[in-house]
């Protein structure tokens, strides 16, 4: 499976923070925002990943992450000149996707919870069409809302419904088979001139090939699109890391646990991080056995 991180947009709701830098490069406590979605794809076992952003910001992502080989990944980059919808990612990334299935994640989403890596792996293994992830919210009217049957099959999907049929908001993580490229190519832009991801999901729903897995109690899904939500995400990460002594979305740790890099390579990465607390953590990891992700 290939991966795509959509890290475009102008971040207008976060101005002036995003006046000269991409939103997805802003710090979320102790690491750049882009680390969080990248860690999700790595936990799913995905190593061939494309980052889509604006031409203005692509060099910043390259400077931070390079070609990904230090994490046992293959990263490449592509530009979305203007925000023309989430589903355009499949057209921009068509060559990257090739004949593979694909996981798309939005660059400003944080996912964290017990057993998350196992859940993602099982969803990848059973993928037949489209797999979405739903998160229970108290105000579903603000989201795209999915309704499922007892087997987890998606039976309805409505964007910002006046009368929601469930409380499951569709999150910014999507798994698709290779048909998604053709589906995206056939889409008509919405009234706001964008290729809507909801229309992609509705196409799979019409075929009876869409599922939705619930991220239930104990999971956290955070969308960092405002100053308040960015601060809340940082506070969430800070609290858990300080209480538990483990890092969230530490790419070096995930790469080591997944077998993408060796302990020696992990130690070298830790040394490059200098005397920061993050660097100390990575060096300590390299010196001991790490359980599987």
């Amino acid at each position: 499976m290939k991966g795509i991180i959509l890290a475009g947009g102008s971040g207008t709701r976060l101005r002036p923070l995003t006046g000269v830098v991409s939103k997805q490069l802003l710090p979320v406590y102790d690491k750049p925002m882009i680390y969080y979605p990248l860690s999700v794809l790595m936990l799913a076992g995905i190593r061939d990943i494309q980052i889509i952003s604006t031409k203005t910001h692509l060099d910043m992502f390259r400077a931070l992450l390079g070609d990904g080989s230090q994490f046992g990944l293959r990263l490449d980059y592509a530009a979305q000149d203007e925000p023309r919808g989430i589903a355009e990612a499949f057209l921009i990334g068509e060559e990257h996707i090739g004949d593979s299935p694909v996981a798309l994640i939005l660059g400003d989403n944080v996912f964290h919870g017990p057993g998350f890596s196992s859940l993602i792996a099982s969803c990848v293994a059973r993928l037949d069409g489209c797999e979405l992830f739903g998160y229970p919210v108290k105000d579903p009217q603000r989201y795209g809302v999915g309704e499922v049957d007892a087997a987890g099959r998606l039976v309805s999907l409505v964007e910002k419904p006046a009368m929601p049929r469930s409380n499951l908001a569709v999150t910014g993580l999507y798994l698709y088979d290779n048909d998604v490229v053709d589906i995206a190519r056939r889409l008509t832009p919405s009234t706001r001139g964008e290729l809507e991801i909801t229309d992609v999901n509705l196409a799979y729903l019409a075929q009876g090939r869409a599922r939705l897995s619930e991220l239930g109690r104990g999971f956290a899904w955070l969308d960092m699109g405002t100053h308040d939500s960015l601060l809340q995400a940082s506070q969430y990460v800070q609290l858990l890391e300080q209480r538990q002594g483990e890092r969230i979305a530490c790419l070096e740790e995930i790469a080591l646990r997944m077998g993408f890099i060796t302990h020696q390579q992990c130690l070298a990465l830790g040394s490059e991080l200098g005397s920061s607390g993050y660097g100390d953590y990575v060096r300590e990891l390299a010196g001991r056995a790490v359980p599987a992700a």
Side-chain angles (χ1 to χ4, degrees):
M1 175 174 277
K2 302 292 182 66
I4 292 177
I5 302 175
L6 186 56
S10 55
T12 53
R13 290 184 297 165
L14 285 169
R15 296 274 173 89
L17 291 176
T18 52
V20 296
V21 68
S22 168
K23 172 175 69 173
Q24 290 82 11
L25 291 172
L26 293 175
V28 179
Y29 185 49
D30 58 351
K31 60 191 75 70
M33 187 185 296
I34 191 73
Y35 272 43
Y36 295 86
L38 182 53
S39 72
V40 171
L41 297 184
M42 292 172 67
L43 286 170
I46 299 170
R47 303 177 71 171
D48 196 344
I49 298 165
Q50 183 174 75
I51 297 173
I52 298 176
S53 188
T54 64
K55 286 183 178 179
T56 305
H57 296 140
L58 280 179
D59 284 344
M60 298 180 187
F61 287 103
R62 288 192 184 97
L64 175 67
L65 298 169
D67 64 3
S69 59
Q70 69 273 31
F71 303 119
L73 306 176
R74 179 184 180 276
L75 299 181
D76 65 73
Y77 303 85
Q80 185 182 43
D81 299 331
E82 297 178 7
R84 288 186 287 262
I86 295 173
E88 191 189 28
F90 303 115
L91 305 183
I92 296 170
E94 180 175 2
E95 183 176 345
H96 167 73
I97 295 168
D99 58 1
S100 300
V102 61
L104 171 66
I105 187 168
L106 303 186
D108 60 358
N109 277 214
V110 170
F111 294 86
H112 182 257
F116 186 48
S117 58
S118 298
L119 173 64
I120 296 294
S122 65
C123 290
V124 169
R126 75 182 182 198
L127 181 64
D128 179 19
C130 162
E131 184 90 34
L132 308 177
F133 298 86
Y135 188 79
V137 295
K138 66 177 182 180
D139 51 353
Q141 297 88 348
R142 296 178 50 231
Y143 302 89
V145 175
E147 179 189 11
V148 297
D149 63 16
R153 289 185 293 267
L154 193 66
V155 296
S156 74
L157 177 60
V158 182
E159 193 69 26
K160 297 181 180 178
M163 300 183 65
R165 300 179 64 174
S166 87
N167 69 338
L168 292 178
V170 177
T171 69
L173 174 61
Y174 317 87
L175 307 180
Y176 299 102
D177 66 11
N178 194 253
D179 292 343
V180 71
V181 177
D182 288 333
I183 290 172
R185 191 180 292 116
R186 295 195 298 267
L187 292 181
T188 300
S190 65
T191 54
R192 59 179 184 167
E194 296 191 0
L195 300 181
E196 305 288 353
I197 195 68
T198 297
D199 291 337
V200 171
N201 298 332
L202 287 172
Y204 279 101
L205 173 61
Q207 298 172 9
R209 296 198 302 131
R211 295 180 56 87
L212 186 145
S213 293
E214 181 177 348
L215 303 176
R217 198 163 190 162
F219 275 90
W221 168 55
L222 304 169
D223 177 351
M224 298 166 288
T226 67
H227 295 103
D228 285 343
S229 60
L230 179 62
L231 175 61
Q232 289 163 3
S234 291
Q235 291 172 330
Y236 173 83
V237 174
Q238 179 193 38
L239 176 63
L240 286 188
E241 290 191 352
Q242 291 185 352
R243 289 279 182 89
Q244 299 179 353
E246 296 181 349
R247 303 270 169 167
I248 296 173
C250 175
L251 302 185
E252 296 83 359
E253 179 175 15
I254 295 170
L256 182 59
R257 288 187 174 193
M258 297 295 292
F260 298 169
I261 62 174
T262 65
H263 283 262
Q264 186 174 7
Q265 290 170 317
C266 185
L267 180 60
L269 292 175
S271 298
E272 292 173 6
L273 290 164
S275 59
S276 67
Y278 189 98
D280 292 341
Y281 180 81
V282 173
R283 289 190 292 274
E284 181 183 347
L285 283 173
R288 58 183 168 86
V290 180

